[in-house]
Amino acid sequence: MAGSEGFVEADNTEAIIIRIEQKSRKIESLLRQFKPVEALKMALEGSPPKTKDERCKSANWIVVHRAIMAIKDVDGLFVSLDPEYYDILMKYLYRGLSTGDRPTCDQCLRIHEKLTEKAGLGCILRSLADTVNTV
Amino acid sequence: MCLQNFPCQEVERHNKPEVELKTSPELLLNPVLICRNEAEKCLIETSINSLRISIKVKQADELENILTKKFLRFLSMRAEAFQVLRRKPVQGYDISFLITNYHCEDMQKNKLIDFIVQFMEDIDKEISELKMSVNTRGRLVATEFLKQFI
């Protein structure tokens, strides 16, 4: 039982990583067309929440990071981003803040401030309390 | 900051701050690490009955390094007086605070947070003052000493 679940997990992992690679190619093309908001939406969409595999999470983080760094206009971002993505974005922002890399942290702090204004403290608490779906 | 009393699950009649032990993952929340830049960071770990905040202060040069270490060791040794201060900072950080549910029962939560913010601001001010006084004294001593050679 555990063995077969292990196999399913491995297949899923490979499938997820392939999906993330395809996604990153699409996102690169969107960024070249100067559409960072769409790129970020696409990056947040396919976030695999239930995988425990660190590689999937890291692969997805790299993609989301690329999209976050490309954003120049933070207010414009929230006009077009759906509220269901706020929680996932907040979790990725905290992951970005933990990296310690100055430009990443600056950008993450800027977006965090605006996101807290928009989504409120509940968003922060959900990212703290959710131990099941981590990014 | 919602901390409640939670007796130890493993040992009878014991009440331990769960964030220090980390024995039961269901009692812990995700730790949050916030880095302003490479030199400064803040780690916040929470559990059901306690909260640990660890801060790494910016140290621009060797002198500030020594001053910070000595000054914060001085404060940590007197942690009893501060109540929420931890005697030893967490590995990799300069200073740590441990807030338990008992502190929340005795003191107001917003005042606790104000205290921590004020504390860190005062530490920054104190360390810059110390650095300035060390430099001034060094300059004075050097001028007096070298005057005899003119």
Side-chain angles (χ1 to χ4, degrees):
Chain A
M1 187 68 174
S4 68
E5 269 176 22
F7 275 123
V8 168
E9 188 62 49
D11 286 338
N12 269 348
T13 312
E14 293 307 318
I16 288 173
I17 289 190
I18 294 175
R19 227 183 23 232
I20 292 177
E21 276 168 29
Q22 290 169 338
K23 212 169 53 167
S24 77
R25 278 192 283 270
K26 278 191 226 148
I27 285 175
E28 287 294 327
S29 68
L30 278 174
L31 287 175
R32 255 172 268 142
Q33 295 164 29
F34 299 113
K35 294 202 188 117
V37 183
E38 269 81 29
L40 185 59
K41 255 196 257 198
M42 182 167 283
L44 294 176
E45 249 163 16
S47 310
K50 299 281 187 208
T51 49
K52 298 273 194 285
D53 191 29
E54 274 314 306
R55 288 177 306 159
C56 295
K57 293 191 205 270
S58 310
N60 211 42
W61 160 241
I62 295 172
V63 172
V64 174
H65 179 231
R66 183 94 179 70
I68 286 181
M69 294 311 289
I71 292 190
K72 304 277 185 285
D73 172 29
V74 185
D75 292 316
L77 168 68
F78 290 114
V79 168
S80 41
L81 194 63
D82 302 318
E84 59 196 66
Y85 293 123
Y86 288 168
D87 285 349
I88 309 178
L89 179 58
M90 185 60 89
K91 291 183 191 167
Y92 276 115
L93 285 179
Y94 274 112
R95 185 156 177 173
L97 284 172
S98 67
T99 55
D101 174 45
R102 193 183 283 252
T104 315
C105 290
D106 283 342
Q107 180 80 335
C108 284
L109 280 171
R110 247 175 268 145
I111 302 181
H112 185 284
E113 181 191 354
K114 293 280 156 47
L115 181 58
T116 323
E117 269 173 50
K118 211 77 191 348
L121 296 173
C123 193
I124 299 180
L125 273 176
R126 280 190 291 274
S127 74
L128 278 179
D130 200 354
T131 46
V132 174
N133 310 331
T134 54
V135 286
Chain B
M1 199 178 0
C2 307
L3 305 176
Q4 64 188 65
N5 194 7
F6 193 83
C8 183
Q9 287 185 137
E10 264 105 59
V11 186
E12 266 182 32
R13 301 206 210 180
H14 276 216
N15 199 318
K16 308 175 187 171
E18 294 294 335
V19 79
E20 296 285 346
L21 301 178
K22 300 203 172 83
T23 43
S24 317
E26 72 269 12
L27 301 174
L28 306 172
L29 292 184
N30 297 328
V32 161
L33 174 60
I34 302 172
C35 301
R36 199 143 157 238
N37 45 50
E38 292 83 11
E40 297 174 84
K41 49 186 176 158
C42 172
L43 176 67
I44 302 179
E45 303 159 283
T46 40
S47 73
I48 188 165
N49 61 358
S50 45
L51 157 66
R52 187 163 70 182
I53 304 171
S54 311
I55 302 180
K56 181 152 186 62
V57 175
K58 181 157 93 168
Q59 288 148 35
D61 52 21
E62 201 53 52
L63 176 61
E64 263 188 33
N65 211 341
I66 300 174
L67 283 174
T68 314
K69 212 159 48 156
K70 287 205 178 289
F71 184 56
L72 291 179
R73 209 171 73 94
F74 173 85
L75 290 175
S76 309
M77 286 292 142
R78 288 149 184 81
E80 289 286 306
F82 293 111
Q83 291 183 51
V84 289
L85 197 59
R86 197 169 182 261
R87 276 194 175 274
K88 283 198 78 139
V90 171
Q91 183 81 323
Y93 295 87
D94 292 327
I95 188 169
S96 294
F97 297 90
L98 177 67
I99 303 178
T100 59
N101 53 298
Y102 299 115
H103 296 141
C104 290
E105 282 161 19
D106 291 333
M107 303 182 257
Q108 292 177 11
K109 293 180 204 170
N110 46 343
K111 296 281 188 200
L112 271 174
I113 299 176
D114 288 341
F115 168 72
I116 294 184
V117 170
Q118 186 71 27
F119 194 73
M120 293 315 298
E121 284 175 2
D122 287 342
I123 285 183
D124 282 332
K125 233 185 298 181
E126 210 40 64
I127 291 185
S128 357
E129 264 177 48
L130 281 172
K131 183 171 176 192
M132 212 152 34
S133 72
V134 165
N135 282 335
T136 319
R137 210 166 46 217
R139 202 176 321 124
L140 273 174
V141 163
T143 354
E144 280 305 315
F145 181 69
L146 293 173
K147 265 193 196 150
Q148 59 184 312
F149 296 117
I150 298 175

